[in-house]
Amino acid sequence: MKRAHLAAVAAISITAALSANSAQAEDLTLCWASWDPANALVELSKDFEAQSGHKMSFEFVPWPNFADRMLNELNSGGQLCDLMIGDSQWIGGAAENGWYVKLNDFFDANGIKMDDFIDATVTGYAEWPKNTPNYWALPAFGDVVGWTYRKDWFERPEIQTAFKEKYGRDLAVPKTFAELKDIAEFFQKREIDGKTVYGASIYTERGSEGITMGAMDVLYSFGFKYENPDKPYDMEGYVNGPGAVAGLEYYKALYDCCVAPGTSNTYMSEGIDAFKSGQVALQMNFAFTWPGFETDMDVGRGKTGYFANPAGPDGDQFAQLGGQGISVVAASTKQDAALEYIKWFAQPDVQAKWWSMGGFSCLKAVTLAPDFPQSQPYAQTFLDSMAIVKDFWAEPSYATLLQDTQKRFHDYVVAGQGTAQEALDGLVADWTETFEDEGKL
């Protein structure tokens, strides 16, 4: 990000924004997942330490264990975390169980406006109930499932010629899921530079949320809906309608035809490894992975391209939302200092620096700036993807709903048990039972 632009987006200076009369310096602990963006946040937070006098500590947990570890911490009323960057699906449970501090009054008192953040991230990361002005977090890290591809392979004349001979069209970024599958099949077991490569890396992980994030990323564009738009929790014909069935069948077909051997339980880190090692032509993964590809010795320097989720058979185009908001933990005894961090982090110049360091800012002053699309090779794809996002249930019972989805999808897609219709019918039954137990049906 250019220095001139950093100055332009700064509405107020950092020093003016921070509280000048803090009662005392505090030792704050921020909890998040263990991944590259967390390391960038450690560096960014040094500015907060220097200007506030507070000392920042961090508790980072690997993604496969993150939800269990941190939800247990919140549910037990533990005081390890003063600030929590929690997953988007947690917001309902965190609000209803009193785990997070409600931020409306704080936002109003400090001129922090949710209209200044990407709309989807406000709904996804901050609001409960959804689509109401009740805020429990500040959008912290925008993320979405998208695709990377080996741009250097696509540009080779011999590969272009072979593809056109087979499919009658140029090898290019796919506009539809049908085109994506053609490309994956074309590269499957093709020899490139003396090495056998494969078509695509997609999510299949069973233990946490992987296959749900991957399959939903496809199902949305085929017509899947969580519920009747006019009748909450009415799922029959929406979760298991013809479009949803076709989408799940597609996901299984892509798994059956076009992944590398031994990829029956893969998620984010396995996808990164497969792409960096030159194993696959296409890779499904969250946007947070993109900065790392740009700096990689093997797939960086123009070898990697990026594209948003393609369209389904009827032209619908959606993508699975990822990302998180930052919240003040209600059990913390250092809430005032934690709120200072929120105030500092919300500033335009801090958000601009966050983007430049590999953090995915949700602030419109950053993402809608004229020079943003040119700021990184993946910036435009990030904007395009964030404009089409949908998210999984954010209900307090989301963990149970997610476990049901993981089992139904993995049993069908990977284990080959039953049909897509049976898997989705079973999912409707699972979710109906949960909502009945909660008195919502």
Side-chain angles (χ1 to χ4, degrees):
M1 191 71 67
K2 298 176 182 176
R3 291 188 180 184
H5 178 60
L6 292 178
V9 300
I12 50 178
S13 70
I14 293 176
T15 53
L18 292 176
S19 173
N21 55 358
S22 297
Q24 63 180 25
E26 297 278 14
D27 292 334
L28 294 173
T29 298
L30 186 153
C31 297
W32 199 10
S34 177
W35 57 336
D36 287 345
N39 299 328
L41 188 63
V42 172
E43 292 301 310
L44 182 70
S45 297
K46 290 178 180 178
D47 292 344
F48 173 75
E49 290 181 314
Q51 294 159 38
S52 70
H54 300 307
K55 169 70 174 175
M56 295 298 298
S57 298
F58 301 88
E59 183 73 17
F60 298 146
V61 179
W63 273 114
N65 311 109
F66 177 55
D68 285 346
R69 173 70 178 87
M70 290 307 170
L71 289 175
N72 286 337
E73 175 70 19
L74 291 168
N75 192 43
S76 67
Q79 295 183 344
L80 169 65
C81 310
D82 302 297
L83 293 151
M84 176 72 74
I85 302 184
D87 235 348
S88 57
Q89 294 97 335
W90 302 4
I91 201 73
E96 295 194 8
N97 293 316
W99 296 341
Y100 291 166
V101 173
K102 190 175 182 181
L103 297 174
N104 287 58
D105 291 344
F106 172 75
F107 286 167
D108 290 344
N110 290 277
I112 298 172
K113 300 176 182 178
M114 290 294 95
D115 288 346
D116 292 340
F117 292 83
I118 297 172
D119 296 346
T121 68
V122 175
T123 301
Y125 310 156
E127 290 180 352
W128 190 261
K130 294 299 181 187
N131 302 307
T132 69
N134 295 281
Y135 305 120
W136 307 87
L138 181 90
F141 188 88
D143 208 357
V144 59
V145 176
W147 293 83
T148 54
Y149 70 100
R150 286 300 300 265
K151 185 179 178 182
D152 55 333
W153 294 356
F154 276 45
E155 292 173 347
R156 293 190 182 186
E158 69 277 14
I159 291 178
Q160 290 179 340
T161 298
F163 184 86
K164 192 162 189 176
E165 287 177 352
K166 184 172 183 178
Y167 294 100
R169 66 176 191 274
D170 292 335
L171 176 59
V173 168
K175 296 179 180 178
T176 66
F177 274 111
E179 291 181 358
L180 187 148
K181 186 169 180 286
D182 285 346
I183 294 170
E185 287 180 315
F186 172 79
F187 278 102
Q188 184 72 359
K189 297 184 179 179
R190 181 169 291 273
E191 185 174 305
I192 296 179
D193 297 333
K195 179 181 178 180
T196 300
V197 305
Y198 299 91
S201 172
I202 62 175
Y203 294 160
T204 59
E205 182 261 0
R206 171 67 176 86
S208 61
E209 64 175 16
I211 197 165
T212 298
M213 296 294 100
M216 288 300 189
D217 193 54
V218 171
L219 265 63
Y220 296 140
S221 298
F222 278 75
F224 174 99
K225 292 182 175 62
Y226 286 101
E227 57 191 343
N228 182 342
D230 300 319
K231 187 179 179 182
Y233 309 111
D234 176 20
M235 297 171 286
E236 187 66 40
Y238 295 89
V239 169
N240 58 346
V245 170
L248 192 56
E249 289 173 342
Y250 173 92
Y251 200 73
K252 177 172 175 52
L254 190 62
Y255 172 76
D256 288 342
C257 79
C258 302
V259 301
T263 55
S264 61
N265 191 40
T266 58
Y267 197 18
M268 296 178 284
S269 61
E270 291 84 4
I272 293 170
D273 292 344
F275 193 75
K276 283 186 175 182
S277 66
Q279 190 177 33
V280 294
L282 302 169
Q283 183 225 192
M284 161 191 281
N285 221 329
F286 284 105
F288 86 87
T289 63
W290 300 347
F293 295 137
E294 282 302 302
T295 59
D296 186 78
M297 292 297 294
D298 295 318
V299 299
R301 295 169 294 178
K303 294 180 180 179
T304 295
Y306 309 88
F307 63 92
N309 229 19
D314 295 328
D316 293 332
Q317 188 176 14
F318 299 103
Q320 174 61 50
L321 180 69
Q324 303 87 35
I326 183 169
S327 302
V328 176
V329 177
S332 169
T333 61
K334 306 169 186 176
Q335 291 182 14
D336 288 345
L339 288 167
E340 282 188 58
Y341 187 92
I342 298 281
K343 184 175 181 178
W344 166 81
F345 187 71
Q347 294 172 94
D349 45 0
V350 174
Q351 286 292 304
K353 187 173 182 179
W354 179 223
W355 168 254
S356 72
M357 295 175 70
F360 281 73
S361 174
C362 305
L363 189 68
K364 291 177 182 176
V366 176
T367 62
L368 299 184
D371 59 346
F372 182 83
Q374 290 77 44
S375 64
Q376 295 289 351
Y378 48 79
Q380 186 62 56
T381 300
F382 174 67
L383 289 179
D384 294 342
S385 298
M386 291 302 294
I388 58 172
V389 291
K390 287 180 177 257
D391 199 13
F392 190 75
W393 294 107
E395 295 282 329
S397 57
Y398 102 91
T400 299
L401 304 171
L402 180 61
Q403 289 170 359
D404 295 334
T405 315
Q406 285 286 104
K407 183 180 189 306
R408 295 290 182 182
F409 285 178
H410 199 275
D411 284 352
Y412 169 65
V413 172
V414 176
Q417 297 177 12
T419 67
Q421 185 72 65
E422 290 168 343
L424 293 171
D425 288 346
L427 192 57
V428 171
D430 295 338
W431 288 354
T432 297
E433 181 180 355
T434 295
F435 291 133
E436 284 177 344
D437 290 344
E438 295 179 343
K440 293 178 177 177
L441 282 174

